């Protein structure tokens, strides 16, 4: 799996919600977060099922700028989803 963090120069909150939903319909996409207010987001996906170029083509109208890219595992994805991880440090 791969995680891409990016900045979107040209997106509204309504477009972010709509696009996030459309991306999540793809079975190769595990997690999507698009924030139309801060104009930032990330996508976690299977690159062998959905090439990065095709993914970026879907976001082309929002002028994405990639901030970072990294490989991730299913274990890291599951651990980041656990609620206790987010509250234990507070």
């Amino acid at each position: 799996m791969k995680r891409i963090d990016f900045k979107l120069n040209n997106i509204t909150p309504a477009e972010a919600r709509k696009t996030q939903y459309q991306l999540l319909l793809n079975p190769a996409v595990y997690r999507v977060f698009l924030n139309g207010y801060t104009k930032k987001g990330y996508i976690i996906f299977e690159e062998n099922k959905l090439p990065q170029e095709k993914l970026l083509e879907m976001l082309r109208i929002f002028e994405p700028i990639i901030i970072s890219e990294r490989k991730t595992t299913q274990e890291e994805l599951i651990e980041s989803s656990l609620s206790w991880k987010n509250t234990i440090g507070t």
Side-chain angles (χ1 to χ4, degrees), residues 20-63:
Q20 182 170 301
Y21 174 76
Q22 290 171 341
L23 287 169
L24 285 169
L25 293 176
N26 188 322
V29 176
Y30 289 96
R31 180 141 324 133
V32 178
F33 176 72
L34 302 176
N35 189 323
Y37 297 103
T38 63
K39 301 190 185 297
K40 292 183 180 180
Y42 68 87
I43 299 177
I44 299 174
F45 64 102
E46 284 285 346
E47 194 170 22
N48 58 353
K49 295 179 184 174
L50 177 64
Q52 182 173 333
E53 296 79 27
K54 186 174 179 183
L55 180 67
L56 291 175
E57 181 63 29
M58 294 177 195
L59 299 171
R60 180 180 45 84
I61 61 171
F62 306 122
E63 301 171 4

Side-chain angles (χ1 to χ4, degrees), residues 1 72-82 84-85:
M1 286 190 288
T72 188
T73 64
Q74 288 180 345
E75 291 81 16
E76 290 173 330
L77 179 63
I78 292 168
E79 188 175 319
S80 71
S81 300
L82 298 173
W84 61 265
K85 181 182 183 304

Side-chain angles (χ1 to χ4, degrees), residues 9-21:
N9 289 325
N10 188 21
I11 194 167
T12 65
E15 291 171 328
R17 284 188 300 275
K18 180 181 174 187
T19 305
Q20 182 170 301
Y21 174 76

